[in-house]
Amino acid sequence: MASKLPQYALRIPTETMDKLKYIADRSGRSANKEIEQLILNHIEAWEKKHGPILFDDGFVPRSRS
């Protein structure tokens, strides 16, 4: 059964991807889950500094349009 979650094609240098996979493996995660964890940590840090992201400023994510 295919996932219905949004997908994003990430283009990064091979060496960067290899290092990410190394870290993911040592963390017991897939590369995808490692990237997801990094994104969640970044969002958490952003919201800690700037407050919750509420989408009340007119911004509409493409995934919701």
Side-chain angles (χ1 to χ4, degrees):
M1 185 169 158
S3 172
K4 294 185 189 269
L5 294 173
Q7 296 181 14
Y8 183 83
L10 180 64
R11 294 173 193 89
I12 58 175
T14 301
E15 183 179 0
T16 303
M17 189 64 185
D18 291 345
K19 289 179 179 182
L20 176 79
K21 287 179 179 181
Y22 179 93
I23 294 167
D25 182 72
R26 298 317 185 266
S27 301
R29 293 191 271 263
S30 66
N32 185 76
K33 285 297 180 182
E34 188 68 25
I35 292 167
E36 183 179 352
Q37 190 63 44
L38 291 166
I39 292 168
L40 290 172
N41 290 342
H42 185 64
I43 291 169
E44 182 180 342
W46 172 275
E47 290 185 323
K48 186 174 183 179
K49 183 176 181 180
H50 301 280
I53 298 171
L54 303 173
F55 302 111
D56 61 354
D57 62 356
F59 176 78
V60 178
R62 294 183 81 184
S63 60
R64 293 190 189 182
S65 57

